[in-house]
Amino acid sequence: MASGKILVAQGGGPTAVINQSLVGVALEARRFRNVERVYGARHGVRGIIDQEFVDLTQETSHNLEMVASTPSSALGSTRDKPDEKYCQEIFKVLRAHEIEHFFYIGGNDSSDTVRIVSLEAQKAGYPLRCIHIPKTIDNDLVGSDHTPGFPSAARFVAQAFAGANLDNASLPGVYVGVVMGRHAGFLTAASALGRKFPDDGPHLIYLPERIFVLENFLAEVKATYERLGRCVVAVSEGIHDASGTPIASLLAKDVERDAHGNVQLSGTGALADLLCDEIKSQLKIKRVRGDTFGYLQRSFIGCVSDVDQREAREVGEKAVQFAMWGNRDG
Amino acid sequence: MASGKILVAQGGGPTAVINQSLVGVALEARRFRNVERVYGARHGVRGIIDQEFVDLTQETSHNLEMVASTPSSALGSTRDKPDEKYCQEIFKVLRAHEIEHFFYIGGNDSSDTVRIVSLEAQKAGYPLRCIHIPKTIDNDLVGSDHTPGFPSAARFVAQAFAGANLDNASLPGVYVGVVMGRHAGFLTAASALGRKFPDDGPHLIYLPERIFVLENFLAEVKATYERLGRCVVAVSEGIHDASGTPIASLLAKDVERDAHGNVQLSGTGALADLLCDEIKSQLKIKRVRGDTFGYLQRSFIGCVSDVDQREAREVGEKAVQFAMWGNRDG
């Protein structure tokens, strides 16, 4: 039988509701009589190796609820990708603390981490139950309609474009807003949710699911500008050419990659600036403005979806139930 | 005695509450028995010349209230700066419509427009009462503690940095957020309003009121990063070197200016990218991210200050009272 000590951690980029899932785990776990301790590891799997644990069992419900309603990863996060040696270090620490349940809240890369840790645990004969709890910003997790984190980010993007559309209508020109989403266009598509009237922007939306051709883009901006006297464009940061190379990385001097091999796309205004420069020089339109929504999409305080909060809490609770009642990984 | 027809228009950059002032004028004016018609000109003074008028007298209170609570300039805006000839065109149209009161909602440049129009009206012997109604984003209007528009923008910036600080704490590194404000640092300073704990960011704030020295900036980022393992920086878009040249325009290939001679600073991520590149290359810090808040600061829907809404309404109402009871320009 599994020990009564469980561990929860957060990996990858933070979201507005990832702490709801954390608190869902902490509060639900304590409803099970065999659960003795709920530990949180600081900064994901990195905190296991560094033995940076927080004892969530000792936190009051009020304090946990305060954390739940705060955006970003309260325990801290990491982009570390464990290999076999890293996993051995993890098991050494878990064994010392008699931890046999590991809940990891994260996206695709974190689910891969869970898979690796689970596999290595089996190989090493360590009885570790590993459960992945999903979170996302750009809704890129396969197999679900939507994943917690996306609704709040979508709300931010919808509100941002609804406002940018009105701004652009008052001082006409071309406005380009660059939205997060490496391979998934859901968040960029959310830019359309605030449209109300037929001439409301965004008038053009470019998703990473399609090949981006600069000439077509310019022709479409030109046509819209001639028709309406203005043009609001939503562009995914992940747009790429026919070879799959991101337009953003065609420009970057140094391409930065994380441990999972992802090219760094956010945190620079280069893509918006490139597109604006092309519009100015090729189409001779004077008032061209570009914004890159950047980290505000996932961290802005005060733009959280109620549904998202509730669902994020539920996936945390359900993960504990699956582990305890179902007695299975997932 | 002045005619019973008044004209209201909006100039310069939109704000979250500029329509409150517009509706304040429209509703208050109709309380005066001598006011027969309230016209709105589309796109500021440009709409007078183009005779693009909206008859606000015919709008229902409900419709006006809906407009009041919508960000951005509902009548449209302009950055035109009238000269003598432009003013003659204005008077020709106003005379034809028997308009003898002109309310212009705008910032410093729009107040200059009001001054010019008023002066030219006197010279031309046209009995026009001109009233400037203040609005701002960066609180750069002299003679007032704060101006409508600033509180909502400040709230956006405070909430953005409160979230960015948590994001940066979960995945440590350096974060640079660039805030609007050509010569006034109030909005950038508002980045500090969400700080709660001693180690909360922004840890460094750079205002346009001080000379920006890149070497000092890098030394301060380095010291903070070494002390806390992370660093959140708020930078005004208007930071400049000792000669007064904006750091942002040192980089721009083509410097764009409006009719009032202002260099275009917003709508590009170049300043944040430059500062991030310097931090990466000089300080060898790996995780460095930059965001330029851009137009979201003034147009984001769903981040409006209640106090700001109320005060913006009041300045619109008071402007009408000064004109009608005080019978004076202002």
Side-chain angles (χ1 to χ4, degrees), chain A residues 232-251:
Chain A
V232 175
V233 191
V235 175
S236 163
E237 64 178 6
I239 54 164
H240 53 80
D241 63 17
S243 75
T245 310
I247 307 296
S249 76
L250 289 176
L251 307 159

Short mmCIF file of all heavy atoms in Angstrom, two decimals, chain A residues 232-251:
data_model
loop_
_atom_site.label_atom_id
_atom_site.label_comp_id
_atom_site.label_asym_id
_atom_site.label_seq_id
_atom_site.Cartn_x
_atom_site.Cartn_y
_atom_site.Cartn_z
N VAL A 232 -7.32 45.88 -38.38
CA VAL A 232 -6.80 45.29 -37.14
C VAL A 232 -6.46 43.82 -37.43
O VAL A 232 -7.29 43.09 -37.97
CB VAL A 232 -7.83 45.38 -35.99
CG1 VAL A 232 -7.32 44.66 -34.75
CG2 VAL A 232 -8.15 46.83 -35.67
N VAL A 233 -5.23 43.44 -37.11
CA VAL A 233 -4.74 42.10 -37.45
C VAL A 233 -4.32 41.36 -36.19
O VAL A 233 -3.59 41.90 -35.36
CB VAL A 233 -3.52 42.18 -38.40
CG1 VAL A 233 -3.20 40.81 -38.96
CG2 VAL A 233 -3.76 43.19 -39.52
N ALA A 234 -4.76 40.11 -36.06
CA ALA A 234 -4.29 39.24 -34.98
C ALA A 234 -3.36 38.20 -35.58
O ALA A 234 -3.71 37.52 -36.54
CB ALA A 234 -5.47 38.55 -34.30
N VAL A 235 -2.15 38.11 -35.01
CA VAL A 235 -1.14 37.20 -35.55
C VAL A 235 -0.62 36.31 -34.44
O VAL A 235 -0.28 36.79 -33.36
CB VAL A 235 0.04 38.01 -36.15
CG1 VAL A 235 1.15 37.07 -36.61
CG2 VAL A 235 -0.42 38.88 -37.30
N SER A 236 -0.54 35.03 -34.69
CA SER A 236 0.07 34.12 -33.72
C SER A 236 1.59 34.26 -33.77
O SER A 236 2.17 34.39 -34.85
CB SER A 236 -0.32 32.68 -34.04
OG SER A 236 0.56 31.79 -33.38
N GLU A 237 2.22 34.21 -32.61
CA GLU A 237 3.69 34.29 -32.55
C GLU A 237 4.33 33.12 -33.30
O GLU A 237 5.48 33.20 -33.70
CB GLU A 237 4.16 34.27 -31.09
CG GLU A 237 3.84 32.96 -30.36
CD GLU A 237 4.34 32.89 -28.92
OE1 GLU A 237 4.84 33.89 -28.40
OE2 GLU A 237 4.19 31.81 -28.32
N GLY A 238 3.55 32.05 -33.51
CA GLY A 238 4.11 30.83 -34.11
C GLY A 238 3.97 30.75 -35.62
O GLY A 238 4.29 29.71 -36.20
N ILE A 239 3.52 31.82 -36.28
CA ILE A 239 3.38 31.74 -37.74
C ILE A 239 4.74 31.39 -38.36
O ILE A 239 5.78 31.84 -37.88
CB ILE A 239 2.83 33.05 -38.35
CG1 ILE A 239 3.68 34.26 -37.92
CG2 ILE A 239 1.36 33.24 -38.02
CD1 ILE A 239 3.44 35.50 -38.77
N HIS A 240 4.69 30.58 -39.41
CA HIS A 240 5.93 30.05 -39.99
C HIS A 240 5.80 29.96 -41.50
O HIS A 240 4.70 29.96 -42.06
CB HIS A 240 6.20 28.66 -39.42
CG HIS A 240 5.02 27.74 -39.57
ND1 HIS A 240 4.74 27.09 -40.74
CD2 HIS A 240 4.03 27.43 -38.71
CE1 HIS A 240 3.63 26.39 -40.59
NE2 HIS A 240 3.16 26.59 -39.36
N ASP A 241 6.95 29.83 -42.15
CA ASP A 241 6.95 29.70 -43.61
C ASP A 241 6.71 28.25 -44.02
O ASP A 241 6.48 27.38 -43.17
CB ASP A 241 8.24 30.27 -44.21
CG ASP A 241 9.47 29.49 -43.76
OD1 ASP A 241 9.32 28.35 -43.27
OD2 ASP A 241 10.58 30.03 -43.89
N ALA A 242 6.79 27.98 -45.31
CA ALA A 242 6.46 26.64 -45.83
C ALA A 242 7.39 25.57 -45.28
O ALA A 242 7.02 24.40 -45.15
CB ALA A 242 6.51 26.65 -47.35
N SER A 243 8.61 25.96 -44.90
CA SER A 243 9.56 24.98 -44.37
C SER A 243 9.34 24.73 -42.88
O SER A 243 10.04 23.92 -42.27
CB SER A 243 10.99 25.48 -44.59
OG SER A 243 11.29 26.52 -43.68
N GLY A 244 8.39 25.47 -42.28
CA GLY A 244 8.12 25.29 -40.86
C GLY A 244 8.94 26.21 -39.97
O GLY A 244 8.80 26.19 -38.75
N THR A 245 9.78 27.04 -40.55
CA THR A 245 10.60 27.96 -39.76
C THR A 245 9.74 29.13 -39.28
O THR A 245 9.11 29.81 -40.10
CB THR A 245 11.77 28.52 -40.61
OG1 THR A 245 12.43 27.42 -41.23
CG2 THR A 245 12.74 29.30 -39.75
N PRO A 246 9.70 29.37 -37.95
CA PRO A 246 8.90 30.50 -37.45
C PRO A 246 9.40 31.82 -38.06
O PRO A 246 10.62 32.04 -38.15
CB PRO A 246 9.15 30.48 -35.94
CG PRO A 246 9.62 29.10 -35.63
CD PRO A 246 10.35 28.64 -36.85
N ILE A 247 8.46 32.67 -38.47
CA ILE A 247 8.82 33.98 -39.02
C ILE A 247 9.62 34.75 -37.97
O ILE A 247 10.59 35.45 -38.29
CB ILE A 247 7.55 34.78 -39.42
CG1 ILE A 247 6.65 33.95 -40.34
CG2 ILE A 247 7.91 36.10 -40.07
CD1 ILE A 247 7.22 33.58 -41.68
N ALA A 248 9.24 34.60 -36.69
CA ALA A 248 9.94 35.31 -35.61
C ALA A 248 11.41 34.91 -35.53
O ALA A 248 12.27 35.75 -35.29
CB ALA A 248 9.26 35.04 -34.27
N SER A 249 11.71 33.62 -35.76
CA SER A 249 13.09 33.18 -35.59
C SER A 249 13.92 33.47 -36.84
O SER A 249 15.15 33.41 -36.80
CB SER A 249 13.16 31.70 -35.24
OG SER A 249 12.92 30.91 -36.37
N LEU A 250 13.26 33.82 -37.95
CA LEU A 250 14.00 34.23 -39.14
C LEU A 250 14.75 35.53 -38.84
O LEU A 250 15.74 35.86 -39.48
CB LEU A 250 13.04 34.48 -40.32
CG LEU A 250 12.39 33.24 -40.94
CD1 LEU A 250 11.40 33.65 -42.01
CD2 LEU A 250 13.45 32.32 -41.54
N LEU A 251 14.23 36.27 -37.84
CA LEU A 251 14.75 37.59 -37.52
C LEU A 251 15.75 37.57 -36.39
O LEU A 251 16.68 38.36 -36.34
CB LEU A 251 13.60 38.49 -37.07
CG LEU A 251 12.41 38.55 -38.01
CD1 LEU A 251 11.20 39.02 -37.26
CD2 LEU A 251 12.77 39.47 -39.15
#
